[in-house]
Amino acid sequence: MAPPLLRFTNYLLLSAIATLSTMAIAGAGFAERREVDIRLLVNQDEGFTVMTRKAEILARSAAQRTFDREVLVSDVSVKVTAQNLNQDQAAIILQMIVSRRDWASRPDPKIWSTYFPMAKALLGIQ
C-alpha cells in the first residue's frame, strides 16, 4: 500500500512544482514597457532652460499617468521632442526611462532622465 501512495504523493508534488513554475514564468511575461512620445512646440522667447523644465513636467505627468492607468506596465520610456512652430526642425530634449519600483521610490524626472543639450543648438534657441 505504501508504494502507490508514495508514487501518488510524488506525482502531486511534481505537479505542484510544475504549476508554480509555469505561473512564475507567465507572471514575468506580463510585465510590459510602455513608450510615450511627446512633442513640445518651441517658444523662442522662453529659452532652453524653461523648455527643459516644461519637458520634465510633461515627462513626469506622462510616467505617472501611465503607471496609474496600466497595472501591468513595469517600465516607462518617455521621450520629449521639441519642434519649431514651422515644423522644419525637431530635436529630442530628454528621454526618461524608469521602472515602476524606481518611480514609486523617487518620482523625479531629473534623476531618471537623459538630457540632450545639443538640442539647444539644433533648434537655434538662446
Side-chain angles (χ1 to χ4, degrees), residues 22-101:
T22 302
M23 288 172 59
I25 292 169
F30 286 128
E32 293 182 26
R33 176 184 227 171
R34 183 70 60 227
E35 294 187 12
V36 180
D37 290 326
I38 299 172
R39 291 282 177 163
L40 176 63
L41 291 178
V42 173
N43 182 347
Q44 295 287 344
D45 298 332
E46 290 178 341
F48 191 72
T49 304
V50 172
M51 191 168 50
T52 301
R53 298 299 164 245
K54 283 184 177 182
E56 290 170 348
I57 291 167
L58 290 169
R60 183 185 197 292
S61 63
Q64 188 65 54
R65 189 172 45 250
T66 302
F67 286 133
D68 288 346
R69 288 185 183 167
E70 301 183 48
V71 185
L72 297 179
V73 170
S74 60
D75 298 291
V76 173
S77 171
V78 180
K79 180 174 57 174
V80 180
T81 303
Q83 187 166 0
N84 281 339
L85 291 173
N86 55 9
Q87 309 274 332
D88 65 346
Q89 292 176 319
I92 298 171
I93 298 175
L94 70 83
Q95 182 172 19
M96 181 177 70
I97 301 173
V98 64
S99 70
R100 181 181 292 274
R101 180 182 301 173

